[in-house]
Amino acid sequence: MATVTDWIEGARLRTLPAAAAPVIVGSAAAHYLGGFDAARACLALVVALALQVGVNYANDYSDGIRGTDDNRQGPARLTGGGLAKPRTVLGAALGCFALAGVAGVALVAVSGTWWLIAAGAAAVVAAWFYTGGKHPYAYMGIGLSELMVFVFFGLLACVGTSWTQVQSAPWWLWVCASALGLLSVALLMANNIRDIPTDCASGKMTAAVRLGDRASRWVFAACVWVPVALIAVVGVAIGLHPLATCALGVGAAGWAAGVSLPVLTGASGRALIAVLRNTGFSTLAWALLAALALVLS
């Protein structure tokens, strides 16, 4: 029987700060544009967190029944590690998706943005077929996984949150969303760099496997450093004082250096678990810096 700790580990809490980040920035953007709504922001946060945990449990289930997690280097998975029955893990994933769906319908109902139901449904479908189904795109290694993460956990999550509150999406908001999308891709890359040896053995052809260890590490670094430049662009766009804009860049650069240095100097295996955690916190830190700039402008 899996313990409560096992289920918490299976939810992969280290990914949740990155899930919350787009909601924070989208809500701060709504405040800047004069339309912040706390209740809608909370509903968006429930959607984001429930969807992320659902994705994590769904991946645990799908990778586990395929045998991909049989010889993993990270923490034991619920399914692959034999800690819980596959159908129980599947039920947990579906329960999370259901919660995200209920909160999402409530959000679009109070905001009148009904078109977002289609976007939300697409996000759930993308989440399931990441590692689920007969031909999961996470096993193709053609960059589709990274694209889906960029779109759904960056663009849609950030712009969608703002749109449900103020129904406006200026270009600088898309810049914010793109930065958060890149940081989410970095989180995925860190995970896949760690798993290159076991993924190769199990036949899971991620982009990291196809690119190789060295190139994947540089892709990771690019994904955490480009947002440093983008936060400066946002500061200029919203009319922030030049010194404050520089401070934003310096703060973001400090986090980027902290997470990229271990990866570029060869951290591997379990050492990358800390990188995963810190990349999530780096994403949250970027979001808080951007949100602070938007709220104080």
Side-chain angles (χ1 to χ4, degrees):
M1 293 291 294
T3 65
V4 172
T5 301
D6 292 329
W7 282 101
I8 292 174
E9 181 62 42
R12 307 182 201 181
L13 298 187
R14 63 183 64 88
T15 64
L16 298 190
V23 178
I24 293 171
V25 175
S27 297
H31 180 277
Y32 178 85
L33 295 168
F36 173 71
D37 186 296
R40 298 180 191 183
C42 289
L43 283 172
L45 183 61
V46 172
V47 172
L49 296 179
L51 185 60
Q52 180 65 66
V53 175
V55 168
N56 293 340
Y57 282 142
N59 292 347
D60 187 303
Y61 166 77
S62 297
D63 280 343
I65 62 174
R66 280 191 171 84
T68 305
D69 288 337
D70 288 350
N71 298 296
R72 59 177 285 102
Q73 297 185 46
R77 294 291 181 232
L78 292 165
T79 307
L83 300 175
K85 294 180 179 179
R87 65 182 180 181
T88 305
V89 180
L90 175 60
L94 296 178
C96 290
F97 289 147
L99 175 60
V102 170
V105 169
L107 178 58
V108 299
V110 298
S111 63
T113 54
W114 291 100
W115 65 271
L116 281 173
I117 288 182
V124 173
V125 170
W128 174 255
F129 286 104
Y130 173 64
T131 55
K134 293 183 178 180
H135 304 288
Y137 59 87
Y139 285 63
M140 297 178 182
I142 58 175
L144 193 56
S145 302
E146 289 73 18
L147 177 61
M148 292 298 102
V149 166
F150 180 83
V151 170
F152 289 111
F153 288 97
L155 301 185
L156 180 61
C158 183
V159 177
T161 295
S162 183
W163 191 266
T164 58
Q165 297 177 50
V166 73
Q167 297 191 10
S168 179
W171 68 269
W172 50 262
L173 179 59
W174 290 94
V175 173
C176 289
S178 297
L180 292 167
L182 287 172
L183 288 166
S184 292
V185 171
L187 196 66
L188 177 62
M189 287 299 298
N191 181 79
N192 290 346
I193 291 169
R194 182 197 64 194
D195 292 343
I196 285 176
T198 53
D199 284 345
C200 285
S202 63
K204 184 177 182 180
M205 296 300 293
T206 63
V209 170
R210 290 195 184 276
L211 289 171
D213 184 84
R214 182 178 176 82
S216 296
R217 291 173 185 274
W218 283 107
V219 170
F220 172 88
C223 287
V224 297
W225 276 100
V226 170
V228 175
L230 295 183
I231 202 169
V233 171
V234 172
V236 172
I238 63 176
L240 200 62
H241 190 280
L243 289 178
T245 300
C246 289
L248 284 180
V250 170
W255 278 97
V259 297
S260 62
L261 185 61
V263 176
L264 292 177
T265 53
S268 61
R270 290 185 174 273
L272 286 170
I273 296 176
V275 172
L276 280 167
R277 180 198 63 216
N278 293 339
T279 302
F281 283 126
S282 178
T283 306
L284 181 61
W286 193 101
L288 292 174
L289 286 172
L292 183 64
L294 289 164
V295 169
L296 296 181
S297 295

